[in-house]
Amino acid sequence: MSTAPLAAPVPPRPGISFFERYLSLWVALCIVAGIALGHMLPGLFGAIASAEVARVNLVVAVLIWLMIVPMLLKIDFGALGSVRQHWKGVGVTLFINWAVKPFSMALLGTLFIGWLFAPLLPAGEAPSYIAGLILLAAAPCTAMVFVWSNLCDGEPTYTLSQVALNDLIMVFAFAPLVGLLLGVASVTVPWDTLLLSVVLYIVVPVILAQLVRRSVLAAGGQATLDRLLARLGPVSLVALLATLVLLFGFQGEAIVEQPLVIGLLAVPILIQVYVNAGLAYWLSRRFGVAWCVAAPSALIGASNFFELAVAAAISLFGLKSGAALATVVGVLVEVPVMLSVVAIVKRTRGWYEKGAIA
């Protein structure tokens, strides 16, 4: 008698927490706090900025690790064995994440920031802003995807396997892809710093998170891991908000002088989110993908790993750079925009299932 292989364990289906739901509000408060503290305590912010080794700011590096590692603890690379169960949906999402989204953002950034909005932006900053937008789009979202998928009743096995696959690809593809697109956008690529960023903020955290995950599961099982994730969730959010306060403390003068910049940077981000989500949703429908897979596919295709983007922008271009500011705008718009995508895919379920080609 043959036995079917056991499916990879699926993480608990989380709802969106109070802090996650109002993330945009917390970011707005960080803008105010950061600008105020930057003016009140310039010496402190100067000391933080000078705490660097090999162009890596030590304070920010610690905060980034506190952000990223708890998120990566949710990823089970054993779920990669489930990829073949939903190969059409996986194929659509991979196409959007790696063949469409980074390139579309480079195009939109060049069109809007490098041309249409250029007269409204600080002189000489357009290439840095475009670089930040490219970094934002070059890495698919890791943690919040589980929340978005849950809100639209997405297939949890597909979501887990897709995120695990994207994380594995990111280890090898992030640096070459970013280097290519920055070069196309005529931005000088500091390859040594880029590769160091990949090691520090992707490779090492992935390995560390998997070692901790396996150790916790071996010691106490899934329930113990769930409790650990629940405790680390607020730590991750506080680290993110602390990083944003630092960024806005350094960006305060530029923002006060050019408050319109944040709104202008949001335009290409908003367009690429809706275009990529819509394209993933439409392609899934054309290929006969079940709605419970198509919905999270659209969300994974549209969302960004903004924590990694912030870390890479700071390492590559500095705390005071336009690139860092551009990635922070991505954090500002992430929650309301993705909640709107969740609402759209839920309201169009009837239309989707009526026209999906089996």
Side-chain angles (χ1 to χ4, degrees):
M1 182 178 66
S2 61
T3 57
L6 295 176
V10 175
R13 295 169 64 84
I16 189 166
S17 70
F18 173 80
F19 286 104
E20 290 168 338
R21 182 177 295 276
Y22 296 102
L23 179 59
S24 295
L25 172 61
W26 312 138
V27 175
L29 292 175
C30 286
I31 294 176
V32 176
I35 292 174
L37 291 172
H39 282 286
M40 294 169 55
L41 304 169
L44 173 62
F45 279 80
I48 293 173
S50 64
E52 290 188 350
V53 175
R55 294 191 63 181
V56 174
N57 186 278
L58 300 179
V59 176
V60 174
V62 171
L63 292 173
I64 295 294
W65 268 49
L66 291 175
M67 271 194 272
I68 292 178
V69 172
M71 298 176 182
L72 293 176
L73 281 172
K74 300 178 182 179
I75 308 303
D76 177 15
F77 284 102
L80 290 174
S82 303
V83 166
R84 62 182 180 275
Q85 297 178 21
H86 306 287
W87 66 271
K88 288 184 179 180
V90 169
V92 167
T93 310
L94 288 178
F95 173 69
I96 298 298
N97 281 160
W98 298 104
V100 175
K101 188 170 68 169
F103 298 92
S104 65
M105 181 63 95
L107 177 62
L108 290 169
T110 302
L111 174 63
F112 284 96
I113 305 303
W115 181 46
L116 291 177
F117 298 157
L120 304 174
L121 297 170
E125 286 294 324
S128 184
Y129 293 141
I130 294 171
L133 294 175
I134 289 172
L135 288 167
L136 189 64
C141 186
T142 291
M144 290 295 287
V145 164
F146 294 112
V147 175
W148 311 135
S149 179
N150 177 56
L151 292 177
C152 65
D153 298 319
E155 165 56 51
T157 302
Y158 158 76
T159 303
L160 179 60
S161 59
Q162 179 68 75
V163 171
L165 182 57
N166 271 336
D167 279 5
L168 183 62
I169 293 173
M170 191 160 50
V171 170
F172 302 99
F174 182 78
L177 183 60
V178 167
L180 170 65
L181 291 176
L182 291 181
V184 170
S186 300
V187 177
T188 301
V189 182
W191 276 101
D192 54 344
T193 308
L194 177 57
L195 294 175
L196 178 61
S197 297
V198 170
V199 172
L200 279 179
Y201 301 126
I202 302 179
V203 177
V204 174
V206 164
I207 294 173
L208 177 62
Q210 289 304 300
L211 291 175
V212 173
R213 178 187 173 88
R214 292 186 180 185
S215 175
V216 172
L217 286 173
Q222 186 65 45
T224 302
L225 178 62
D226 293 342
R227 288 194 295 270
L228 176 63
L229 291 173
R231 288 196 294 267
L232 290 179
V235 173
S236 182
L237 181 61
V238 169
L240 170 63
L241 297 180
T243 303
L244 298 185
V245 169
L246 288 179
L247 283 173
F248 286 117
F250 290 111
Q251 296 280 353
E253 184 177 344
I255 294 172
V256 170
E257 293 177 356
Q258 295 278 347
L260 185 61
V261 169
I262 292 178
L264 297 179
L265 289 172
V267 172
I269 297 173
L270 291 171
I271 293 174
Q272 76 98 23
V273 166
Y274 288 120
V275 168
N276 289 322
L279 180 59
Y281 199 50
W282 177 79
L283 286 174
S284 295
R285 189 172 186 253
R286 292 294 300 167
F287 287 117
V289 176
W291 183 86
C292 63
V293 170
S297 175
L299 296 162
I300 297 172
S303 55
N304 305 305
F305 193 175
F306 56 75
E307 295 87 356
L308 173 61
V310 170
I314 293 172
S315 294
L316 292 172
F317 302 102
L319 281 161
K320 299 183 181 182
S321 66
L325 180 61
T327 59
V328 171
V329 175
V331 185
L332 181 64
V333 303
E334 170 88 1
V335 172
V337 173
M338 294 310 298
L339 285 175
S340 72
V341 175
V342 168
I344 290 170
V345 297
K346 291 181 72 172
R347 289 175 183 172
T348 59
R349 181 171 184 173
W351 165 84
Y352 182 95
E353 293 181 335
K354 196 175 295 183
I357 302 172

